[in-house]
Amino acid sequence: MNHITYNSKGISRDEMRNLYIGMLKPRMIEEKMLILLRQGRISKWFSGIGQEAIAAGVTQALQTDEYILPMHRNLGVFTNRHVDLGQLFSQFQGKEAGFTKGRDRSFHFGSNAHHIVGMISHLGPQLAVADGIALASKLKGEGKVTAVFSGDGGTSEGDFHEALNVASVWDLPVIFVIESNYYGLSTPYYEQFRAEKLSDRAKGYGMKGYTIDGNNVQEVFRTVSELAAELRDNPKPVLLECMTFRRRGHEEASGTKYVPDDLMAEWEAKDPVENYERWLLNEGIITEEEVDHWRTEIKAEIEAGLNFAFDQPAIEADLQRELSDVFMAFEQKGVQPSEDQEEMRLVDAVQDGLRESMRKYDNLVIMGQDIAEYGGVFKITEGFVEEFGKDRVRNTPICESGILAAGLGLSVKGMKSVIEMQFADFVSSGFNNVVNNLAKSHYRWGQNSDVVVRMPTGAGVGAGPYHSQSNEAWFTHVAGLKVVYPAFPQDAKGLLISSIEDPNPVLFFEHKALYRSVRGMVSKGYFNLPFGKAGVVRSGEDLTIVTYGMGVHWALDAMGEFTEWDIEIIDLRTLVPLDEETIYKSVRKTGKVLVLHEDTEFGGIGGEIVTRIQENCFIHLDAPVMRLGSLDTPVPFASALEKQFLASNKLHVKMKELLEF
Ligand SMILES: Cc1ncc(C[n+]2csc(CCOP(=O)(O)OP(=O)(O)O)c2C)c(N)n1
């Protein structure tokens, strides 16, 4: 007896047969993996047994060049995109022939050749990567849809909400597929959310939502085929909840003790592969002989793939390769600044650099809150909508995380993006996507994140703990991010242009208090300035001050009171990469050094620079290396408190101490 009712309306005989094979292959691979696991020949397995109809149905319903972003139980997406099993199994074993050079495990990879972007462990952050891919498709007029998966547990994450909201507001052709399989690890759905159906949430986002039988492969295939056809012509997102059941443990070691026996039995009876096979045989669409034949073929393919993977040597650690793959290789072509200059404020220089880049790169999109007609809270993008249009100058909902993920999605499609944080403080709402998606994708599977995050930062403006922070050290600590922090208008323009040219993720810090207080001559037209080249703002013999951003101006201001001393000031300009040579050269000359920053002291980048100076310049030192940062408190609001907080408050004392040492 069949426990699933099939309705093959509109599905051709070939499609019906392919859907069967499309489920059979991942099922057989999994059965083999479970044996290997018991034999101790593989280490971990996240089973999707019983859920194959969703991956197979969705993948076969889409065109092969439409992106799919699967989760940890969606082996069927990979097999239905015909990923070579030898390569796939090598990936599972951390071998060179896999997709990540042994750097990430299981399904944590993407393959642009197969139009697949894999998950990161955090589940939700990948949902809005699909938004970015869909946005790029839409802007390019490709008429393609993107499908992205989430478990029902994953829908509790804020990223789910942001991804759906952004997709809705921007009418992006994304099919959000939820696999509702009752449990998130061990937590049943009713301890996860109280929606009757997860598709009910669609209404709240202004989109359509459907709940279908996720074990009925024909229902999945037909629904997704119809939705995709509609969305290709009329881009908009849709939420598709597929009811299914997770029949094995979260991962094999964790078991299913918490699942009631009758519930398990009920869903075992609804097995998507067995029911469909029975139905196809009854209907005479396939024969027993064909089933045997396909099984034999798939078995041979699995054996060949496994033999290939097991034959691959264990990966060997290559230090140079590990370090050099953190960033995408990029050889910048220098464009010299023109001598034809005009005086500008820092804010104008940032705007000018951004405008020049928008003119140069028609694949560059700017995204941020209130940046379109309003011009951004600091008016940097004022007039941009008029010149570049709303497609490229995009107001975003208050969804930092989703927009940062969308930046990665745009990169997947070869586009560039600049994302304006309204204030650098608010990046904490998108932190995960910066440090885990943007920063790590290239190292993990070779996908660069061509994203610049603009960060209006810093205190001294009486804005309190949430509009004043210096958070550059959060990012200098994360491999895979470049961190740029100009102090002068010419540098701001040239370095912003370089940040946009660079195909890697760049955090670009702009000090708010310098926006309108610092002026300087700025070269007209397009030019760039290299990363990793500090500026010697003032040369001297008695003391080196190594600093950046506001610190440079504090140091310059202090010179008036130290006229009898000959002080060198180094402006780092970029923190990652760090120009160590210029620092060491100066310290070897002066023998005394103060590392100064506005960021709070404990754990700031100053500590790192001090250590390097100790290690590299010890014999040249005439005094202890000193470091000065702001107080280790949140940034206070009232001006007397803020003044006390800032490192500038102690600068004179510290300099005197060092000079007189
Ligand atoms: C941010 C985050 N929190 C917790 C986890 C640990 N974790 C991994 S999978 C999982 C359950 C996911 O449930 P669901 O989204 O329903 O997918 P399923 O495993 O059921 O397919 C949990 C809690 C994680 N990976 N990421």
Side-chain angles (χ1 to χ4, degrees):
M1 170 189 139
N2 247 332
H3 297 267
I4 298 174
T5 308
Y6 294 99
N7 167 9
S8 53
K9 191 166 150 263
I11 304 177
S12 73
R13 195 181 166 84
D14 275 352
E15 286 169 338
M16 285 189 237
R17 289 157 64 88
N18 285 337
L19 287 171
Y20 171 67
I21 301 168
M23 289 195 292
L24 183 62
K25 192 157 148 186
R27 171 65 59 91
M28 287 179 67
I29 293 173
E30 285 223 38
E31 285 168 349
K32 183 71 185 178
M33 289 297 158
L34 298 186
I35 294 170
L36 293 175
L37 197 71
R38 279 196 287 276
Q39 293 172 345
R41 297 180 75 198
I42 59 168
S43 63
K44 222 176 171 77
W45 188 255
F46 293 86
S47 175
I49 283 184
Q51 303 183 205
E52 294 92 340
I54 304 168
V58 170
T59 310
Q60 292 199 16
L62 295 190
Q63 296 165 359
T64 52
D65 59 353
E66 290 181 318
Y67 270 88
I68 304 183
L69 295 84
M71 294 294 292
H72 47 293
R73 298 190 201 287
N74 300 132
L75 171 62
V77 170
F78 297 86
T79 54
N80 280 285
R81 280 278 159 95
H82 306 293
V83 171
D84 177 76
L85 294 190
Q87 194 177 4
L88 190 60
F89 299 156
S90 298
Q91 165 67 20
F92 298 160
Q93 294 178 20
K95 300 274 178 74
E96 179 73 38
F99 289 88
T100 62
K101 301 182 185 168
R103 293 169 185 163
D104 207 342
R105 64 186 201 185
S106 58
F107 296 114
H108 292 211
F109 67 92
S111 165
N112 283 315
H114 300 93
H115 296 87
I116 291 174
V117 175
M119 64 187 294
I120 64 168
S121 290
H122 298 65
L123 314 165
Q126 77 159 353
L127 287 157
V129 178
D131 289 356
I133 294 173
L135 173 61
S137 285
K138 190 177 167 185
L139 293 177
K140 292 173 186 211
E142 292 177 342
K144 300 279 175 198
V145 303
T146 301
V148 59
F149 284 74
S150 172
D152 49 332
T155 67
S156 300
E157 293 188 60
D159 278 310
F160 174 83
H161 167 76
E162 293 198 10
L164 270 73
N165 191 50
V166 170
S168 180
V169 170
W170 287 355
D171 290 320
L172 301 177
V174 182
I175 303 176
F176 292 95
V177 181
I178 304 173
E179 291 188 299
S180 277
N181 66 3
Y182 277 59
Y183 291 94
L185 217 154
S186 75
T187 305
Y189 65 89
Y190 49 84
E191 289 183 26
Q192 194 74 247
F193 49 82
R194 283 290 159 96
E196 228 171 83
K197 287 186 286 162
L198 283 171
S199 61
D200 286 346
R201 291 187 180 177
K203 192 165 175 37
Y205 299 110
M207 63 175 77
K208 285 199 176 138
Y210 306 90
T211 295
I212 62 171
D213 179 356
N215 279 24
N216 182 335
V217 73
Q218 292 189 342
E219 192 168 329
V220 176
F221 176 76
R222 187 180 28 256
T223 307
V224 176
S225 299
E226 286 171 5
L227 289 173
E230 191 189 334
L231 268 53
R232 285 179 199 121
D233 285 343
N234 179 16
K236 58 181 186 236
V238 60
L239 181 59
L240 180 63
E241 181 185 25
C242 301
M243 300 309 296
T244 185
F245 193 75
R246 201 197 68 214
R247 295 205 343 236
R248 302 200 65 87
H250 168 62
E251 46 93 23
E252 278 308 307
S254 62
T256 54
K257 276 211 183 87
Y258 45 84
V259 181
D261 291 344
D262 53 343
L263 190 59
M264 186 66 93
E266 182 194 328
W267 281 94
E268 275 170 2
K270 285 198 258 187
D271 185 281
V273 185
E274 286 168 15
N275 278 282
Y276 192 49
E277 182 181 292
R278 221 169 13 240
W279 183 84
L280 289 171
L281 286 168
N282 276 343
E283 297 288 315
I285 296 164
I286 61 172
T287 63
E288 299 276 6
E289 293 69 38
E290 283 175 321
V291 171
D292 287 346
H293 170 72
W294 288 324
R295 282 186 170 273
T296 309
E297 257 187 5
I298 294 171
K299 188 161 183 273
E301 191 188 344
I302 295 172
E303 289 303 329
L306 282 172
N307 288 339
F308 173 86
F310 280 119
D311 283 350
Q312 300 298 304
I315 212 152
E316 277 184 36
D318 174 340
L319 180 61
Q320 207 40 53
R321 191 173 79 157
E322 290 309 289
L323 294 172
S324 64
D325 277 357
V326 171
F327 291 111
M328 184 179 189
F330 170 58
E331 274 211 29
Q332 188 176 34
K333 284 200 192 77
V335 180
Q336 289 306 313
S338 150
E339 306 219 324
D340 184 10
Q341 297 186 323
E342 63 185 304
E343 196 184 68
M344 280 188 193
R345 302 169 301 176
L346 191 111
V347 69
D348 307 318
V350 171
Q351 181 182 66
D352 203 25
L354 202 51
R355 191 187 295 110
E356 289 290 341
S357 300
M358 285 291 276
R359 287 177 183 163
K360 182 174 166 82
Y361 295 107
D362 57 13
N363 65 340
L364 172 62
V365 170
I366 314 179
M367 304 184 281
Q369 289 154 29
D370 309 290
I371 66 156
E373 290 84 355
Y374 188 69
V377 292
F378 297 104
K379 301 295 166 202
I380 302 244
T381 48
E382 196 157 54
F384 276 43
V385 170
E386 288 75 13
E387 181 170 354
F388 304 108
K390 278 204 84 165
D391 275 353
R392 294 181 62 204
V393 183
R394 308 186 71 86
N395 268 346
T396 72
I398 307 169
C399 294
E400 282 79 6
S401 186
I403 298 303
L404 288 157
L408 174 57
L410 287 168
S411 310
V412 167
K413 295 282 293 175
M415 295 189 70
K416 288 179 172 290
S417 56
V418 170
I419 300 172
E420 175 175 309
M421 290 293 112
Q422 199 155 67
F423 288 82
D425 308 68
F426 302 147
V427 78
S428 50
S429 293
F431 190 70
N432 197 15
N433 265 307
V434 178
V435 304
N436 285 317
N437 252 335
L438 301 184
K440 295 181 176 54
S441 292
H442 188 264
Y443 175 75
R444 292 168 54 241
W445 60 281
Q447 174 60 57
N448 66 308
S449 303
D450 202 344
V451 178
V452 177
V453 187
R454 289 192 34 245
M455 303 277 280
T457 189
V461 287
Y466 301 112
H467 290 77
S468 307
Q469 291 171 86
S470 294
N471 51 17
E472 62 273 15
W474 297 358
F475 303 102
T476 54
H477 187 61
V478 178
L481 300 174
K482 299 192 180 183
V483 180
V484 178
Y485 202 147
F488 298 102
Q490 173 86 340
D491 290 348
K493 179 173 173 183
L495 289 171
L496 180 58
I497 287 175
S498 293
S499 302
I500 294 167
E501 287 181 356
D502 196 311
N504 293 291
V506 178
L507 279 290
F508 189 88
F509 286 84
E510 304 161 12
H511 202 296
K512 305 187 296 280
L514 297 179
Y515 269 155
R516 291 176 167 78
S517 66
V518 169
R519 292 176 172 272
M521 297 307 288
V522 176
S523 299
K524 292 184 181 169
Y526 192 92
F527 68 93
N528 56 29
L529 292 173
F531 286 176
K533 286 248 178 299
V536 181
V537 175
R538 186 179 195 280
S539 88
E541 301 286 334
D542 299 329
L543 167 69
T544 302
I545 300 179
V546 176
T547 186
Y548 56 92
M550 182 57 91
V552 178
H553 298 279
W554 287 340
L556 283 169
D557 289 348
M559 291 306 106
E561 290 189 35
F562 290 89
T563 45
E564 71 276 29
W565 298 97
D566 193 13
I567 296 169
E568 181 143 316
I569 301 174
I570 293 185
D571 171 10
L572 292 171
R573 300 203 279 209
T574 65
L575 305 180
V576 180
L578 183 67
D579 181 0
E580 294 179 51
E581 270 324 302
T582 298
I583 299 172
Y584 302 154
K585 200 169 145 215
S586 174
V587 176
R588 285 176 191 137
K589 178 177 69 172
T590 63
K592 290 184 178 180
V593 56
L594 172 65
V595 181
L596 166 70
H597 54 59
E598 178 180 326
D599 191 6
T600 50
E601 207 164 89
F602 191 91
I605 186 147
E608 179 62 36
I609 297 169
V610 166
T611 306
R612 285 170 190 250
I613 294 171
Q614 305 268 27
E615 285 176 354
N616 289 280
C617 306
F618 188 72
I619 56 169
H620 301 274
L621 292 171
D622 298 325
V625 181
M626 292 207 184
R627 175 258 322 246
L628 179 60
S630 296
L631 279 189
D632 288 311
T633 68
V635 188
F637 164 59
S639 79
L641 302 183
E642 191 178 37
K643 194 159 172 263
Q644 172 180 264
F645 163 84
L646 287 170
S648 50
N649 191 43
K650 288 173 286 191
L651 182 57
H652 289 62
V653 177
K654 205 79 177 176
M655 284 173 65
K656 207 156 174 294
E657 193 184 334
L658 249 182
L659 286 163
E660 291 172 359
F661 187 88

